[in-house]
């Protein structure tokens, strides 16, 4: 039997828990999630546990990072199962606030995201990263976490958060976790549950196309423009219904590259049916 894990629903409760742990000399780690947990999320918890004494997960579907035509209302929610999964990997606490707790009447501050948020996801999803930076700043301030873990699966988000933490002198250390994949390469995502069998098969074209790009670079092709064109073509040929972008970018700044002459990352976003999937692969690991 796993020990029942405390669930905090107000900022006072979570702050009280975190302060008491920190007063007792424990380091605290935070794993922010939107719930509908899968093994990718749990791998973040495991990584977090390696870097701190006490691990807290947050489960909150943040409305301010969804656009008006996105899937906020239909986003998968399964809180009881999330709690059971988090218990099974030994988190010490779960912060699960309501919208009223996070955005009470009169709330009006927004964290302006860094420049790096203006391209790719930020260009296609206006206000998305402002929603992310605002909620992550609130979570880091509420918990005063020593470390926080974010997945490379959301590569641009990771870069944006790193920059926010550096620019605003936040005391939390950001740790990146590698992308967890199914054995055939599909990146785990809460949105994969929208896919039927045919779409699940076609969704593999994202990870396959990325791998082809990495192989091409390893074989000596460093023409990033040509690689990006091929990446897009492989995505389409692999069966996605439409692609938002396929780019080769500087791994640190996300500047679009012409030549792969420094650490680089290939990033893609595509629709399979009405499900929008993103994936990426570092090209120089
Ligand atoms: P989400 O619940 O989708 O907001 O994700 C919460 C955290 O889990 C974010 O830091 C994501 O980047 C991370 N994450 C989501 N999917 C994966 C995955 N397949 N592998 C590693 N991290 C992931």
């Amino acid at each position: 039997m796993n020990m029942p894990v405390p669930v905090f629903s107000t900022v006072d409760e979570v702050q009280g828990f975190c302060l008491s742990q920190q007063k007792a000399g424990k380091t605290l780690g935070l794993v922010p999630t939107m719930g509908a947990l899968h093994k990718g999320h749990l791998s973040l918890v495991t990584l977090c546990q390696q870097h701190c004494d006490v691990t807290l997960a947050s489960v909150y579907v943040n409305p301010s990072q969804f656009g008006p035509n996105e899937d906020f209302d239909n986003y998968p929610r399964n809180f009881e199962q999330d709690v059971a999964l988090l218990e099974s990997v030994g988190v010490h606490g779960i912060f699960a606030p309501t919208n009223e707790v996070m955005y009470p009447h009169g709330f009006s501050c927004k964290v302006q995201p860094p420049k790096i948020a203006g391209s790719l996801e930020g260009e296609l999803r206006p206000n998305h990263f402002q929603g992310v930076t605002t909620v992550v700043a609130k979570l880091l301030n509420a918990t005063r976490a020593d470390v926080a873990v974010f997945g490379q699966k959301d590569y641009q988000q990771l870069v944006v958060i790193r920059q926010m933490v550096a620019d605003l002198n936040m005391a939390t250390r950001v740790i990146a976790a590698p992308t967890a994949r199914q054995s055939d390469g599909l990146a785990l995502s809460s949105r994969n549950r929208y896919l039927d069998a045919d779409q699940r098969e076609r969704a593999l074209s994202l990870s396959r196309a990325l791998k082809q790009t990495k192989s091409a670079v390893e074989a000596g092709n460093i023409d990033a423009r040509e690689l990006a064109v091929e990446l897009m073509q492989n995505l389409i040929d692999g069966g996605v219904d439409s692609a938002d972008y396929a780019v080769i970018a500087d791994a640190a700044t996300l500047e679009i590259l012409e030549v792969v002459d420094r650490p680089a990352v290939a990033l893609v976003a595509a629709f399979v049916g009405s499900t929008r999937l993103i994936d990426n692969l570092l090209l120089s690991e």
Side-chain angles (χ1 to χ4, degrees):
M1 271 292 279
N2 301 307
M3 287 287 286
V5 59
V7 176
F8 310 110
S9 52
T10 68
V11 173
D12 279 350
E13 281 168 14
V14 79
Q15 246 163 8
F17 172 80
C18 295
L19 278 176
S20 69
Q21 298 297 329
Q22 286 162 332
K23 272 192 190 146
K26 313 253 187 199
T27 54
L28 189 101
L30 175 69
V31 179
T33 82
M34 297 204 300
L37 301 181
H38 50 65
K39 285 187 179 153
H41 296 112
L42 302 184
S43 72
L44 268 57
V45 170
T46 305
L47 183 63
C48 193
Q49 287 165 333
Q50 291 163 14
H51 289 272
C52 62
D53 302 317
V54 174
T55 295
L56 191 75
S58 61
V59 175
Y60 178 59
V61 186
N62 174 36
S64 72
Q65 69 190 70
F66 287 79
N69 299 318
E70 295 182 358
D71 57 347
F72 174 71
D73 287 336
N74 298 324
Y75 195 80
R77 291 167 172 85
N78 194 343
F79 187 62
E80 276 178 25
Q81 188 181 309
D82 291 343
V83 172
L85 285 170
L86 291 170
E87 264 173 14
S88 74
V89 291
V91 300
H92 296 90
I94 298 171
F95 182 39
T98 59
N99 291 336
E100 290 68 35
V101 163
M102 290 305 268
Y103 304 110
H105 182 69
F107 177 91
S108 68
C109 269
K110 304 273 165 66
V111 177
Q112 171 75 30
K115 254 198 195 146
I116 215 165
S119 65
L120 303 172
E121 291 301 295
E123 200 172 330
L124 290 152
R125 305 179 67 190
N127 301 324
H128 168 67
F129 282 121
Q130 186 177 76
V132 170
T133 48
T134 302
V135 81
V136 171
K138 284 174 69 73
L139 291 170
L140 297 184
N141 284 337
T143 58
R144 299 193 202 166
D146 297 286
V147 299
V149 181
F150 294 88
Q152 278 177 7
K153 161 75 168 47
D154 298 277
Y155 194 88
Q156 190 177 13
Q157 170 174 283
L158 172 67
V159 175
V160 163
I161 289 168
R162 274 195 196 290
Q163 181 88 45
M164 172 185 78
V165 163
D167 284 358
L168 300 183
N169 304 332
M170 292 176 159
T172 306
R173 186 159 62 91
V174 173
I175 295 174
T179 301
R181 299 179 180 278
Q182 294 196 314
S183 54
D184 59 8
L186 183 70
L188 298 180
S189 164
S190 304
R191 292 188 168 100
N192 290 350
R193 66 193 73 191
Y194 299 144
L195 304 170
D196 65 24
D198 166 63
Q199 293 169 338
R200 164 75 180 67
E201 187 56 33
R202 291 190 288 121
L204 277 178
S205 60
L206 281 83
S207 55
R208 282 193 182 137
L210 289 166
K211 264 199 216 154
Q212 282 172 297
T213 299
K214 185 165 177 161
S215 301
V217 173
E218 283 166 355
N221 186 355
I222 55 163
D223 181 338
R225 281 202 211 178
E226 186 184 304
L227 288 164
V229 170
E230 282 171 11
L231 179 58
M232 176 61 93
Q233 195 57 50
N234 287 335
L235 262 186
I236 304 287
D237 292 349
V240 302
D241 290 302
S242 64
D244 277 346
Y245 57 78
V247 299
I248 315 295
D250 181 304
T253 65
L254 292 187
E255 178 201 342
I256 303 299
L257 293 180
E258 302 212 341
V259 182
V260 184
D261 56 358
R262 62 194 98 163
V265 59
L267 304 112
V268 292
F271 278 90
V272 179
S274 57
T275 305
R276 187 171 184 277
L277 300 171
I278 60 171
D279 199 354
N280 66 83
L281 199 59
L282 288 167
L283 299 178
S284 43
E285 268 188 334

